[in-house]
Amino acid sequence: MARKASLSGFPEWLPQERAVEQHVLDTLRRIFELHGFANIETRAVETVGQLLRKGEIDKEVYGLSRLAAEETTKSDPNALALHFDLTVPFARYVVENAGHLAFPFRRYQMQKVWRGERPQDGRFREFTQADIDVVGDGTLPFRYDVELALVIAEALSALPIGDFRLRVNNRKLAEGFYLGLGLQDTAGVLRCIDKLEKIGADKVAELLKTELGATDEQVAAALALAQICTEDTSFVQQVRALGITHPLLEEGLDELAQVIEAAVRRAPGKVVADMSIARGLDYYTGTVYETVLVGHESLGSICSGGRYESLASTGKKNYPGVGLSIGVTRLVSRMLGEETATAARSVPSAVLVTLANDESWHEAQDVAAALRSRGIACEVAAKAEKFGKQIKYADKRGIPFVWFTAEDGTHEVKDIRSGEQASADPAIWLPAAADLTNQVTAAG
Protein backbone atom coordinates (compact mmCIF):
# COMPACT_ATOMS: atom_id res chain seq x y z
CA MET A 1 0.00 0.00 0.00
CA ALA A 2 1.33 3.46 -0.92
CA ARG A 3 2.39 5.51 2.10
CA LYS A 4 0.63 8.84 2.70
CA ALA A 5 2.96 11.76 1.97
CA SER A 6 3.80 14.03 4.92
CA LEU A 7 3.43 17.05 2.60
CA SER A 8 0.17 16.79 0.71
CA GLY A 9 0.52 16.53 -3.06
CA PHE A 10 4.24 15.70 -3.05
CA PRO A 11 4.54 11.89 -3.02
CA GLU A 12 7.68 10.08 -1.88
CA TRP A 13 7.88 6.36 -2.56
CA LEU A 14 9.49 3.75 -0.33
CA PRO A 15 12.23 1.72 -2.10
CA GLN A 16 9.89 -1.12 -3.09
CA GLU A 17 7.32 1.40 -4.34
CA ARG A 18 10.00 3.32 -6.20
CA ALA A 19 10.96 0.05 -7.91
CA VAL A 20 7.43 -0.13 -9.33
CA GLU A 21 7.66 3.44 -10.60
CA GLN A 22 11.10 2.77 -12.09
CA HIS A 23 9.73 -0.31 -13.83
CA VAL A 24 7.00 1.81 -15.41
CA LEU A 25 9.51 4.40 -16.61
CA ASP A 26 11.96 1.78 -17.91
CA THR A 27 9.19 -0.04 -19.78
CA LEU A 28 7.92 3.14 -21.40
CA ARG A 29 11.47 4.15 -22.32
CA ARG A 30 12.09 0.76 -23.94
CA ILE A 31 8.90 0.85 -25.99
CA PHE A 32 9.36 4.46 -27.08
CA GLU A 33 12.92 3.84 -28.20
CA LEU A 34 11.90 0.68 -30.06
CA HIS A 35 9.68 2.98 -32.10
CA GLY A 36 12.48 5.44 -32.81
CA PHE A 37 11.62 8.23 -30.37
CA ALA A 38 14.64 10.22 -29.16
CA ASN A 39 14.87 11.36 -25.55
CA ILE A 40 15.16 15.01 -24.55
CA GLU A 41 14.91 16.92 -21.30
CA THR A 42 13.88 20.55 -21.02
CA ARG A 43 14.58 22.94 -18.18
CA ALA A 44 12.23 22.94 -15.19
CA VAL A 45 11.46 26.66 -15.47
CA GLU A 46 9.95 28.83 -18.17
CA THR A 47 8.98 32.47 -18.24
CA VAL A 48 5.46 33.25 -17.10
CA GLY A 49 4.72 34.71 -20.52
CA GLN A 50 5.73 31.45 -22.20
CA LEU A 51 3.73 29.26 -19.83
CA LEU A 52 0.54 31.28 -20.04
CA ARG A 53 0.56 32.15 -23.73
CA LYS A 54 -2.21 29.64 -24.46
CA GLY A 55 -4.44 30.94 -21.70
CA GLU A 56 -3.72 28.39 -18.97
CA ILE A 57 -4.97 29.13 -15.46
CA ASP A 58 -2.26 31.14 -13.70
CA LYS A 59 -3.43 30.14 -10.21
CA GLU A 60 -2.09 26.63 -10.87
CA VAL A 61 1.39 27.87 -11.83
CA TYR A 62 4.15 27.94 -9.20
CA GLY A 63 6.27 31.07 -9.42
CA LEU A 64 10.01 30.80 -8.85
CA SER A 65 12.14 33.39 -7.09
CA ARG A 66 14.81 33.81 -4.42
CA LEU A 67 13.47 34.27 -0.88
CA ALA A 68 15.41 37.54 -0.65
CA ALA A 69 14.18 38.80 -4.02
CA GLU A 70 11.71 41.63 -4.35
CA GLU A 71 8.16 40.44 -4.90
CA THR A 72 7.47 40.02 -8.59
CA THR A 73 4.12 40.86 -10.05
CA LYS A 74 1.96 38.30 -11.78
CA SER A 75 1.84 40.61 -14.77
CA ASP A 76 5.60 40.36 -15.39
CA PRO A 77 5.95 38.08 -18.44
CA ASN A 78 9.67 37.59 -17.77
CA ALA A 79 9.21 36.25 -14.25
CA LEU A 80 10.17 32.58 -13.85
CA ALA A 81 7.81 29.74 -13.00
CA LEU A 82 7.93 25.94 -12.81
CA HIS A 83 6.48 24.18 -15.84
CA PHE A 84 3.05 22.57 -15.27
CA ASP A 85 3.28 20.18 -18.24
CA LEU A 86 5.85 19.13 -20.83
CA THR A 87 4.01 20.27 -23.97
CA VAL A 88 4.53 24.02 -23.62
CA PRO A 89 8.29 23.64 -22.89
CA PHE A 90 8.55 21.22 -25.83
CA ALA A 91 6.94 23.75 -28.16
CA ARG A 92 9.56 26.33 -27.14
CA TYR A 93 12.32 23.74 -27.50
CA VAL A 94 11.27 22.97 -31.08
CA VAL A 95 11.19 26.62 -32.08
CA GLU A 96 14.57 27.41 -30.50
CA ASN A 97 16.32 24.31 -31.88
CA ALA A 98 14.55 23.87 -35.23
CA GLY A 99 17.79 24.40 -37.16
CA HIS A 100 19.39 21.44 -35.38
CA LEU A 101 16.50 18.96 -35.56
CA ALA A 102 15.59 16.49 -38.29
CA PHE A 103 11.87 16.65 -39.10
CA PRO A 104 9.54 14.95 -38.51
CA PHE A 105 11.06 15.07 -35.04
CA ARG A 106 10.10 12.15 -32.77
CA ARG A 107 10.73 12.76 -29.09
CA TYR A 108 9.89 11.28 -25.72
CA GLN A 109 10.35 13.09 -22.43
CA MET A 110 10.01 11.94 -18.82
CA GLN A 111 10.21 14.65 -16.19
CA LYS A 112 8.71 16.11 -13.05
CA VAL A 113 6.10 18.84 -13.44
CA TRP A 114 4.41 21.04 -10.85
CA ARG A 115 0.82 22.19 -10.63
CA GLY A 116 -0.77 24.13 -7.79
CA GLU A 117 -4.10 22.35 -7.56
CA ARG A 118 -5.92 20.76 -4.65
CA PRO A 119 -4.37 17.32 -3.96
CA GLN A 120 -6.79 14.40 -4.18
CA ASP A 121 -6.91 10.86 -5.51
CA GLY A 122 -4.81 10.84 -8.68
CA ARG A 123 -3.97 14.55 -8.49
CA PHE A 124 -0.67 15.86 -7.16
CA ARG A 125 1.26 19.12 -6.92
CA GLU A 126 4.48 17.43 -8.03
CA PHE A 127 4.28 14.51 -10.42
CA THR A 128 6.04 12.76 -13.29
CA GLN A 129 4.79 12.79 -16.86
CA ALA A 130 5.98 10.74 -19.83
CA ASP A 131 5.28 12.37 -23.19
CA ILE A 132 5.76 11.34 -26.80
CA ASP A 133 5.25 13.66 -29.76
CA VAL A 134 5.96 13.78 -33.47
CA VAL A 135 6.38 17.30 -34.89
CA GLY A 136 6.70 18.29 -38.52
CA ASP A 137 8.07 21.35 -40.29
CA GLY A 138 5.10 22.96 -42.05
CA THR A 139 3.15 19.73 -42.50
CA LEU A 140 2.77 16.41 -40.71
CA PRO A 141 1.18 13.35 -42.36
CA PHE A 142 -1.92 12.00 -40.63
CA ARG A 143 -0.31 8.56 -40.40
CA TYR A 144 1.46 9.76 -37.26
CA ASP A 145 -1.90 10.14 -35.51
CA VAL A 146 -2.49 6.46 -36.25
CA GLU A 147 1.01 5.43 -35.19
CA LEU A 148 0.88 7.18 -31.82
CA ALA A 149 -2.31 5.38 -30.86
CA LEU A 150 -0.59 2.07 -31.58
CA VAL A 151 2.60 3.02 -29.71
CA ILE A 152 0.66 4.00 -26.59
CA ALA A 153 -1.47 0.85 -26.76
CA GLU A 154 1.71 -1.24 -26.96
CA ALA A 155 3.40 0.66 -24.12
CA LEU A 156 0.43 0.40 -21.74
CA SER A 157 -0.07 -3.27 -22.62
CA ALA A 158 3.50 -3.92 -21.46
CA LEU A 159 2.73 -2.56 -17.97
CA PRO A 160 1.12 -4.53 -15.10
CA ILE A 161 -1.87 -2.20 -14.93
CA GLY A 162 -4.74 -4.47 -15.95
CA ASP A 163 -7.17 -3.68 -18.74
CA PHE A 164 -7.40 -0.21 -20.27
CA ARG A 165 -9.16 1.59 -23.10
CA LEU A 166 -7.58 4.22 -25.33
CA ARG A 167 -10.59 6.33 -26.31
CA VAL A 168 -10.15 8.26 -29.54
CA ASN A 169 -12.22 10.95 -31.23
CA ASN A 170 -11.59 13.64 -33.84
CA ARG A 171 -12.23 17.36 -33.35
CA LYS A 172 -13.01 17.77 -37.06
CA LEU A 173 -15.73 15.16 -36.75
CA ALA A 174 -17.26 16.86 -33.72
CA GLU A 175 -16.93 20.41 -35.01
CA GLY A 176 -18.28 19.46 -38.44
CA PHE A 177 -21.26 17.80 -36.78
CA TYR A 178 -22.00 20.87 -34.64
CA LEU A 179 -21.66 23.19 -37.64
CA GLY A 180 -24.03 20.92 -39.58
CA LEU A 181 -26.46 21.32 -36.67
CA GLY A 182 -26.19 25.09 -36.92
CA LEU A 183 -24.14 25.55 -33.74
CA GLN A 184 -21.41 28.03 -34.68
CA ASP A 185 -19.57 28.19 -31.33
CA THR A 186 -18.03 24.75 -31.74
CA ALA A 187 -15.37 25.41 -29.06
CA GLY A 188 -18.14 26.19 -26.58
CA VAL A 189 -20.02 23.01 -27.45
CA LEU A 190 -16.84 20.98 -27.03
CA ARG A 191 -16.23 22.48 -23.59
CA CYS A 192 -19.75 21.52 -22.55
CA ILE A 193 -19.49 17.97 -23.95
CA ASP A 194 -16.11 17.60 -22.21
CA LYS A 195 -18.00 17.84 -18.88
CA LEU A 196 -20.39 15.01 -19.76
CA GLU A 197 -18.84 12.33 -17.53
CA LYS A 198 -18.45 14.75 -14.60
CA ILE A 199 -21.89 16.37 -14.50
CA GLY A 200 -24.12 14.11 -16.61
CA ALA A 201 -26.27 14.57 -19.74
CA ASP A 202 -29.03 16.67 -18.11
CA LYS A 203 -26.65 19.36 -16.86
CA VAL A 204 -24.73 19.39 -20.15
CA ALA A 205 -28.05 19.87 -21.97
CA GLU A 206 -28.83 22.79 -19.68
CA LEU A 207 -25.41 24.35 -20.37
CA LEU A 208 -25.87 23.99 -24.12
CA LYS A 209 -29.21 25.78 -23.91
CA THR A 210 -28.33 28.55 -21.46
CA GLU A 211 -24.77 29.32 -22.55
CA LEU A 212 -24.95 28.61 -26.28
CA GLY A 213 -28.63 29.06 -27.06
CA ALA A 214 -29.03 25.54 -28.46
CA THR A 215 -32.51 24.27 -29.26
CA ASP A 216 -33.92 21.04 -27.88
CA GLU A 217 -33.31 19.36 -31.25
CA GLN A 218 -29.69 20.54 -31.38
CA VAL A 219 -29.08 19.39 -27.82
CA ALA A 220 -30.61 15.98 -28.53
CA ALA A 221 -28.44 15.52 -31.62
CA ALA A 222 -25.23 16.64 -29.84
CA LEU A 223 -25.88 14.22 -26.98
CA ALA A 224 -26.79 11.43 -29.42
CA LEU A 225 -23.39 11.87 -31.09
CA ALA A 226 -21.66 11.68 -27.69
CA GLN A 227 -23.37 8.31 -27.00
CA ILE A 228 -21.60 6.58 -29.92
CA CYS A 229 -18.70 4.30 -28.91
CA THR A 230 -17.42 1.33 -30.93
CA GLU A 231 -14.38 -0.94 -31.08
CA ASP A 232 -14.54 -1.00 -34.89
CA THR A 233 -15.39 1.37 -37.73
CA SER A 234 -19.15 0.86 -37.35
CA PHE A 235 -19.23 4.32 -35.70
CA VAL A 236 -19.10 5.81 -39.22
CA GLN A 237 -22.53 4.42 -40.10
CA GLN A 238 -23.91 5.34 -36.67
CA VAL A 239 -22.82 8.97 -37.05
CA ARG A 240 -24.18 9.24 -40.58
CA ALA A 241 -27.47 7.73 -39.38
CA LEU A 242 -27.99 10.90 -37.32
CA GLY A 243 -28.60 12.72 -40.60
CA ILE A 244 -26.13 15.60 -40.23
CA THR A 245 -23.82 16.52 -43.13
CA HIS A 246 -20.80 18.82 -43.36
CA PRO A 247 -17.45 18.57 -45.25
CA LEU A 248 -15.46 18.86 -41.99
CA LEU A 249 -17.54 16.05 -40.49
CA GLU A 250 -16.64 13.76 -43.41
CA GLU A 251 -12.95 14.60 -43.06
CA GLY A 252 -13.05 13.76 -39.35
CA LEU A 253 -14.91 10.50 -39.97
CA ASP A 254 -12.27 9.41 -42.47
CA GLU A 255 -9.37 10.25 -40.16
CA LEU A 256 -10.87 8.53 -37.13
CA ALA A 257 -11.71 5.47 -39.22
CA GLN A 258 -8.01 5.19 -40.18
CA VAL A 259 -7.00 5.11 -36.49
CA ILE A 260 -9.61 2.51 -35.53
CA GLU A 261 -9.00 0.34 -38.60
CA ALA A 262 -5.29 0.11 -37.72
CA ALA A 263 -6.07 -0.54 -34.04
CA VAL A 264 -8.41 -3.41 -34.90
CA ARG A 265 -5.44 -5.10 -36.57
CA ARG A 266 -2.65 -4.13 -34.15
CA ALA A 267 -4.34 -3.62 -30.76
CA PRO A 268 -7.74 -5.34 -30.83
CA GLY A 269 -10.03 -4.37 -27.98
CA LYS A 270 -7.68 -1.71 -26.61
CA VAL A 271 -8.60 1.29 -28.80
CA VAL A 272 -12.18 2.51 -29.21
CA ALA A 273 -13.86 5.30 -31.15
CA ASP A 274 -15.63 7.36 -28.49
CA MET A 275 -17.62 10.41 -29.59
CA SER A 276 -17.86 11.71 -26.01
CA ILE A 277 -14.15 12.57 -25.92
CA ALA A 278 -13.83 16.30 -26.48
CA ARG A 279 -10.62 17.52 -24.76
CA GLY A 280 -11.45 21.06 -23.71
CA LEU A 281 -8.12 22.62 -24.69
CA ASP A 282 -8.49 24.84 -27.75
CA TYR A 283 -5.19 23.97 -29.42
CA TYR A 284 -6.29 20.45 -30.46
CA THR A 285 -7.35 20.44 -34.10
CA GLY A 286 -7.93 16.80 -35.09
CA THR A 287 -7.39 13.49 -33.33
CA VAL A 288 -7.87 13.53 -29.55
CA TYR A 289 -7.02 10.70 -27.14
CA GLU A 290 -7.93 9.80 -23.56
CA THR A 291 -7.11 6.58 -21.71
CA VAL A 292 -8.85 5.04 -18.72
CA LEU A 293 -8.19 1.97 -16.60
CA VAL A 294 -11.11 -0.44 -16.83
CA GLY A 295 -12.72 -0.64 -13.40
CA HIS A 296 -10.97 2.57 -12.28
CA GLU A 297 -12.68 5.09 -14.54
CA SER A 298 -13.18 7.44 -11.59
CA LEU A 299 -9.44 8.04 -11.56
CA GLY A 300 -9.81 9.93 -14.83
CA SER A 301 -7.55 9.79 -17.83
CA ILE A 302 -4.09 8.31 -17.27
CA CYS A 303 -2.95 9.23 -20.78
CA SER A 304 -4.26 11.95 -23.07
CA GLY A 305 -3.32 14.17 -25.97
CA GLY A 306 -4.06 14.91 -29.57
CA ARG A 307 -3.19 16.64 -32.84
CA TYR A 308 -2.26 20.32 -32.82
CA GLU A 309 -1.53 22.44 -35.89
CA SER A 310 0.12 25.50 -34.41
CA LEU A 311 1.17 24.92 -30.81
CA ALA A 312 4.76 25.50 -31.94
CA SER A 313 5.18 28.39 -34.39
CA THR A 314 7.35 31.42 -35.04
CA GLY A 315 6.86 34.06 -37.70
CA LYS A 316 5.96 32.28 -40.92
CA LYS A 317 7.20 28.94 -39.59
CA ASN A 318 4.67 26.46 -38.25
CA TYR A 319 5.35 23.12 -36.59
CA PRO A 320 2.26 20.89 -36.43
CA GLY A 321 2.40 17.84 -34.21
CA VAL A 322 0.60 15.03 -32.48
CA GLY A 323 1.39 13.74 -29.02
CA LEU A 324 0.26 12.01 -25.86
CA SER A 325 1.14 12.41 -22.21
CA ILE A 326 1.06 9.63 -19.62
CA GLY A 327 0.45 10.64 -16.00
CA VAL A 328 3.06 8.33 -14.51
CA THR A 329 2.54 9.35 -10.88
CA ARG A 330 -1.23 9.06 -11.18
CA LEU A 331 -0.82 5.61 -12.71
CA VAL A 332 1.73 4.41 -10.14
CA SER A 333 -0.28 5.74 -7.20
CA ARG A 334 -3.25 3.64 -8.29
CA MET A 335 -1.04 0.57 -8.90
CA LEU A 336 0.36 0.89 -5.38
CA GLY A 337 -2.93 1.77 -3.74
CA GLU A 338 -4.74 -1.17 -5.31
CA GLU A 339 -1.66 -3.41 -5.02
CA THR A 340 -2.03 -4.38 -8.69
CA ALA A 341 1.76 -4.61 -9.04
CA THR A 342 4.54 -5.47 -6.62
CA ALA A 343 8.32 -5.53 -6.68
CA ALA A 344 9.99 -8.79 -5.67
CA ARG A 345 12.32 -7.03 -3.23
CA SER A 346 13.14 -3.58 -1.91
CA VAL A 347 16.78 -3.63 -3.07
CA PRO A 348 18.48 -4.46 -6.36
CA SER A 349 20.89 -6.88 -4.65
CA ALA A 350 20.52 -10.54 -5.58
CA VAL A 351 23.39 -11.79 -3.39
CA LEU A 352 24.83 -11.06 0.04
CA VAL A 353 28.46 -12.18 0.31
CA THR A 354 29.04 -13.23 3.92
CA LEU A 355 32.16 -12.92 6.05
CA ALA A 356 33.60 -15.95 7.87
CA ASN A 357 35.85 -13.56 9.82
CA ASP A 358 36.79 -9.90 9.65
CA GLU A 359 40.05 -10.69 7.80
CA SER A 360 38.07 -12.14 4.86
CA TRP A 361 36.49 -8.84 3.85
CA HIS A 362 38.92 -8.22 0.97
CA GLU A 363 38.43 -11.75 -0.38
CA ALA A 364 34.68 -11.24 -0.13
CA GLN A 365 35.05 -8.06 -2.16
CA ASP A 366 36.85 -10.10 -4.84
CA VAL A 367 33.87 -12.46 -5.00
CA ALA A 368 31.49 -9.51 -5.25
CA ALA A 369 33.56 -7.95 -8.02
CA ALA A 370 33.46 -11.20 -10.00
CA LEU A 371 29.68 -11.36 -9.65
CA ARG A 372 29.17 -7.70 -10.51
CA SER A 373 31.35 -8.03 -13.61
CA ARG A 374 28.65 -10.32 -14.99
CA GLY A 375 25.77 -8.06 -14.03
CA ILE A 376 24.82 -9.64 -10.70
CA ALA A 377 23.98 -6.99 -8.08
CA CYS A 378 25.41 -7.90 -4.68
CA GLU A 379 26.48 -6.60 -1.29
CA VAL A 380 29.26 -7.60 1.10
CA ALA A 381 28.47 -8.00 4.79
CA ALA A 382 29.97 -5.26 6.96
CA LYS A 383 31.11 -7.50 9.80
CA ALA A 384 31.64 -11.17 10.56
CA GLU A 385 28.62 -11.88 12.73
CA LYS A 386 27.21 -15.38 13.14
CA PHE A 387 26.00 -16.73 9.81
CA GLY A 388 22.47 -16.85 11.20
CA LYS A 389 22.52 -13.08 11.74
CA GLN A 390 23.99 -12.46 8.29
CA ILE A 391 21.27 -14.60 6.71
CA LYS A 392 18.62 -12.76 8.74
CA TYR A 393 20.02 -9.46 7.45
CA ALA A 394 19.72 -10.69 3.85
CA ASP A 395 16.18 -11.88 4.48
CA LYS A 396 15.17 -8.52 6.00
CA ARG A 397 16.42 -6.72 2.89
CA GLY A 398 14.78 -9.22 0.55
CA ILE A 399 18.09 -10.51 -0.85
CA PRO A 400 17.39 -14.05 -2.13
CA PHE A 401 20.92 -15.55 -2.13
CA VAL A 402 23.69 -15.74 0.49
CA TRP A 403 27.27 -16.55 -0.52
CA PHE A 404 29.74 -18.48 1.69
CA THR A 405 33.48 -18.93 1.20
CA ALA A 406 35.25 -21.71 3.12
CA GLU A 407 38.81 -21.55 4.48
CA ASP A 408 40.01 -23.79 1.62
CA GLY A 409 38.75 -21.24 -0.93
CA THR A 410 35.68 -23.17 -2.09
CA HIS A 411 32.33 -21.45 -2.40
CA GLU A 412 28.69 -22.26 -1.75
CA VAL A 413 25.54 -20.26 -2.36
CA LYS A 414 22.29 -20.63 -0.44
CA ASP A 415 18.80 -19.74 -1.65
CA ILE A 416 17.35 -18.59 1.66
CA ARG A 417 13.78 -18.91 0.37
CA SER A 418 14.01 -22.65 -0.30
CA GLY A 419 16.96 -23.50 1.94
CA GLU A 420 18.83 -25.16 -0.93
CA GLN A 421 22.61 -24.76 -0.81
CA ALA A 422 25.09 -25.80 -3.52
CA SER A 423 28.70 -25.39 -4.62
CA ALA A 424 29.30 -22.32 -6.79
CA ASP A 425 32.06 -20.58 -8.72
CA PRO A 426 31.95 -16.75 -8.67
CA ALA A 427 33.36 -16.73 -12.21
CA ILE A 428 30.43 -18.64 -13.73
CA TRP A 429 27.52 -18.83 -11.27
CA LEU A 430 24.27 -17.19 -12.33
CA PRO A 431 20.97 -16.94 -10.50
CA ALA A 432 17.72 -17.74 -12.28
CA ALA A 433 16.69 -15.02 -14.71
CA ALA A 434 13.76 -14.04 -12.48
CA ASP A 435 16.18 -13.35 -9.59
CA LEU A 436 18.84 -11.51 -11.57
CA THR A 437 16.91 -8.23 -11.41
CA ASN A 438 14.21 -6.91 -9.13
CA GLN A 439 11.10 -8.12 -10.96
CA VAL A 440 7.85 -6.17 -10.90
CA THR A 441 4.81 -8.34 -11.50
CA ALA A 442 1.07 -7.92 -11.67
CA ALA A 443 -0.83 -9.11 -8.62
CA GLY A 444 -2.63 -12.40 -8.95
Side-chain angles (χ1 to χ4, degrees), residues 352 379-382 385 388-399:
L352 173 71
E379 304 175 23
V380 175
E385 298 180 298
K389 284 191 175 182
Q390 296 184 63
I391 292 172
K392 186 176 292 186
Y393 170 82
D395 185 47
K396 184 178 180 180
R397 288 176 59 76
I399 301 173

Side-chain angles (χ1 to χ4, degrees), residues 232-244:
D232 54 26
T233 57
S234 62
F235 72 90
V236 176
Q237 289 73 35
Q238 294 185 38
V239 172
R240 287 180 176 151
L242 296 176
I244 306 300

Side-chain angles (χ1 to χ4, degrees), residues 202-218:
D202 290 343
K203 290 185 178 179
V204 168
E206 185 179 339
L207 287 175
L208 289 171
K209 292 176 184 179
T210 58
E211 294 186 6
L212 302 174
T215 65
D216 288 340
E217 292 76 13
Q218 289 172 327

Side-chain angles (χ1 to χ4, degrees), residues 176-250:
F177 187 88
Y178 304 146
L179 290 171
L181 276 176
L183 295 170
Q184 298 302 313
D185 185 3
T186 58
V189 179
L190 284 166
R191 281 192 289 272
C192 291
I193 295 297
D194 195 36
K195 300 174 182 177
L196 190 59
E197 290 187 351
K198 292 182 179 179
I199 65 175
D202 290 343
K203 290 185 178 179
V204 168
E206 185 179 339
L207 287 175
L208 289 171
K209 292 176 184 179
T210 58
E211 294 186 6
L212 302 174
T215 65
D216 288 340
E217 292 76 13
Q218 289 172 327
V219 169
L223 291 176
L225 177 69
Q227 299 289 327
I228 297 173
C229 181
T230 69
E231 291 186 1
D232 54 26
T233 57
S234 62
F235 72 90
V236 176
Q237 289 73 35
Q238 294 185 38
V239 172
R240 287 180 176 151
L242 296 176
I244 306 300
T245 60
H246 192 279
L248 192 60
L249 169 61
E250 289 300 317

